Amino acid sequence: MSGNIELLNTTLAAAKAADRAALIAYLPAGFPTVDGGIEAVKAVVAGGADIVEVGLPHSDPVLDGAVIQTADDIALRGGVRIADVMRTVREAHEATGVPILVMTYWNPIDRYGVERFTAELAEAGGAGCILPDLPVQESALWREHAEKHGLATVFVVAPSSQDARLATITAAGSGFVYAASLMGVTGTRASVGAQAQELVGRTRATTDLPVCVGLGVSNAAQAAEVAGFADGVIVGSAFVKAMLDAPDEAVGLAAVRSLAGELAEGVRKR
C-alpha cells in the first residue's frame, strides 16, 4: 500500500493556490492517552489545521522544550508504543482526510526496522516523516524505503545552516522543508524573529519544495506574520500547552479546536 505523499503535496499546493500558508499542527501520540491524542488531532483539524504532525514520544527529545517533553513523559508513562502511533495516524487520517506525518527521532525507527516502519506507516495512511536528527548523509536507506512506500522525507534546516548545506538537505528531502525559526528548542516565543524570514529566503534559493516554519508560533498574529513569508506555519507547543493547562480532556479538546481556529484565521490574514 502506498503512503499519502501526494495528498501532502496537493494540500500544500491548494493552500498556495488560495494565496495563504498551510496551518500544520503538532500533537504527540498517546497524550493525554492514545484515544485522547486521536481526539486532539480531530479537534485541531475541525478548527482549521490543514496538516498534522503526530509526534512519536521519545525519552530524550533533543529538539523539544519543556512543554512537549512533559507531554512525551505522560505518554511514555502511559505505555505508548509505535503501534499506538500507527493507530493514531490511521484513525486520525480516516476521520479527517488530511495528511498526517510522524515526527520522530531516528533511534526508535532504527530499533523498529526501517522497512517495517515505512511499510506500516504507509499502510496506516501516513504521508511521511519529519526526521530532525537524521543526518542527510546517513539517510539513503530511509529515503529508499520512504520513496518505495510513497512517504515524504522532511528534513529540518536551521538559521545556522550554511547555503551549501541547505542545498544538500533540500535536494534529499521531499514533501516540504521544515525551517526552524531560531536556534533552540520548541516552545512558544514572544517574537518569531527576522532569522526565520532570512532562512526561508535562503532555503527557497535551493529548492522548489514548500518551506514551512516552526518553533515559536503560538498565536494568530505570529501565524499571520510567518504566513507572510512561509508556505506553512507549524504550531506544536501552544496546542500541547492548551491540553496540559486544561482541567479535563473535554476542556482541552475545546481549547485546541479554538486555538486552531484562531491560527487558521491568522494564516489567511498574511
Side-chain angles (χ1 to χ4, degrees):
M1 182 173 176
S2 182
N4 271 313
I5 186 173
E6 284 307 315
L7 177 62
L8 176 64
N9 293 340
T10 57
T11 300
L12 288 163
K16 183 176 183 179
D19 194 31
R20 67 173 179 88
L23 175 59
I24 304 174
Y26 167 92
L27 290 161
F31 168 75
T33 62
V34 176
D35 289 340
I38 294 167
E39 292 304 313
V41 175
K42 294 178 187 177
V44 295
V45 174
D50 300 290
I51 297 164
V52 178
E53 303 172 9
V54 170
L56 195 160
H58 194 272
S59 56
D60 186 25
V62 292
L63 184 68
D64 295 308
V67 169
I68 291 175
Q69 285 186 25
T70 298
D72 277 6
D73 186 57
I74 290 168
L76 291 168
R77 288 174 184 272
V80 71
R81 296 289 183 267
I82 288 178
D84 299 310
V85 178
M86 298 299 179
R87 180 185 153 213
T88 300
V89 171
R90 176 182 293 104
E91 294 190 14
H93 174 65
E94 287 175 352
T96 65
V98 306
I100 311 282
L101 298 104
V102 169
M103 185 164 184
T104 178
Y105 298 97
W106 179 245
N107 182 258
I109 295 177
D110 192 40
R111 290 175 64 92
Y112 198 71
V114 175
E115 169 59 21
R116 181 184 177 194
F117 190 95
T118 51
E120 290 185 7
L121 182 56
E123 191 275 330
C129 261
I130 301 162
L131 301 160
D133 67 341
L134 176 62
V136 171
Q137 61 271 26
E138 296 174 21
S139 67
L141 177 65
W142 164 266
R143 287 186 286 125
E144 174 192 339
H145 287 287
E147 186 174 349
K148 180 173 77 172
H149 290 291
L151 299 169
T153 298
V154 178
F155 290 114
V156 178
V157 298
S160 61
S161 302
Q162 299 297 311
D163 290 349
R165 177 69 176 162
L166 286 176
T168 299
I169 293 170
T170 59
S174 56
F176 64 90
V177 182
Y178 187 127
S181 67
L182 40 77
M183 300 303 296
V185 297
T186 58
T188 61
R189 301 291 196 282
S191 172
V192 178
Q195 275 188 321
Q197 187 166 359
E198 181 194 11
L199 176 59
V200 169
R202 291 196 298 119
T203 304
R204 280 195 176 134
T206 72
T207 184
D208 291 329
L209 289 172
V211 183
C212 303
V213 170
L215 275 68
V217 177
S218 62
N219 59 49
Q222 290 174 333
E225 177 192 354
V226 174
F229 57 81
D231 299 296
V233 179
I234 303 168
V235 180
S237 296
F239 285 120
V240 176
K241 187 174 187 301
M243 292 289 290
L244 282 170
D245 289 349
D248 58 52
E249 188 176 302
V251 173
L253 294 174
V256 296
R257 178 171 179 162
S258 175
L259 176 59
E262 293 169 18
L263 294 164
E265 196 172 311
V267 301
R268 286 163 172 81
K269 284 183 176 175
R270 65 180 189 178

